[in-house]
Amino acid sequence: MSNAKPRIKVPKTASKDEVITIKTLISHEMESGQRKDKDGNTIPRKIINRFTCTFNGQEVFSCDLDPAIAANPYFEFSAKVPESGTFTFEWVDDDGSVYSDKAEIEVS
Amino acid sequence: MKLTRRQALAISAGAALAVVAGRAGSAHAAVDDTEKAIQDFTGGKSPETGRIRLTAPEIAENGNTVPISVDVESPMTAEDYVASVLILADGNPNPDVATLHFTPMSGSATATTRMRLAKTQNVIAVAKMSDGSVFMDKKEVKVTIGGCGG
């Protein structure tokens, strides 16, 4: 099931060692495992439990998510850019699926 | 078995007390869980105040999506940086919200996300530095509509 659609916002260019702001959003219901359906059965938990951002293979920022993170998890964080390269973003679902996206940045 | 009026009253009063005691017990459990989560995260150290700033709205109209930000003062160099930040909410069914992990590549230890709040409660952020020191900030958020469904 892949209706999880990532959206990312990374500047296209930066100067060397600039600290940039990255914004990410992924559409996902983040079913908490606390809710019940109309028959009183608990709806099983299904959330994104991990998010990572790497730059040229090096970890920049990551997060372990619990069910208290709102639906469509949003993250805004910063990154230092020492050189031109690629940011890779990965979201790991409870069911094992991994959603990913990439963004290039050029250092002038 | 036939109950006298007096016995019936005694039983219902007892039942009411049990309900009250049960409620108080569960409220304490959430706070205890929060305390335990902090201790587990810091390795038993009591966090100091300062260096970390948690930004959350004073009143959240919709508990389903409450924006929160953390900002930790740190040079973010390879020798001295913020390793992780634990976010907790002491009135949710489960106090854990998220654990953010920073690296010197983060440039600055700031992050924003959106969380769920079941009711009016404290949101707590605990930062762990690369040298092992811990800092905490806490904000009370008033919630108009709870956000845990059910």
Side-chain angles (χ1 to χ4, degrees), chain A residues 31-81:
Chain A
E31 191 55 64
S32 67
Q34 299 280 347
R35 298 197 309 153
K36 292 193 166 69
D37 63 17
K38 58 181 186 297
D39 301 323
N41 305 312
T42 304
I43 304 171
R45 173 184 136 154
K46 187 182 187 296
I47 67 165
I48 286 171
N49 57 50
R50 187 153 172 84
F51 167 71
T52 48
C53 169
T54 54
F55 180 69
N56 292 348
Q58 249 192 310
E59 184 173 313
V60 174
F61 172 81
S62 67
C63 180
D64 295 307
L65 289 74
D66 287 292
I69 290 292
N72 305 329
Y74 168 82
F75 285 108
E76 186 181 322
F77 54 93
S78 56
K80 196 170 172 177
V81 212

Side-chain angles (χ1 to χ4, degrees), chain B residues 56-136:
Chain B
E58 212 166 291
I59 298 172
E61 275 178 24
N62 182 354
N64 272 311
T65 170
V66 183
I68 52 155
S69 301
V70 289
D71 187 2
V72 192
E73 276 171 46
S74 164
M76 296 304 274
T77 59
E79 297 78 36
D80 183 5
Y81 63 97
V82 181
S84 35
V85 173
L86 174 74
I87 301 170
L88 298 167
D90 67 4
N92 272 357
N94 181 339
D96 299 312
V97 177
T99 315
L100 313 170
H101 305 281
F102 297 98
T103 68
M105 290 278 289
S106 306
S108 77
T110 53
T112 301
T113 188
R114 294 173 188 153
M115 65 177 293
R116 290 172 172 149
L117 288 171
K119 58 178 186 191
T120 298
Q121 58 184 287
N122 292 313
V123 178
I124 297 154
V126 190
K128 187 155 64 182
M129 307 298 172
S130 52
D131 66 2
S133 56
V134 282
F135 297 88
M136 183 170 109

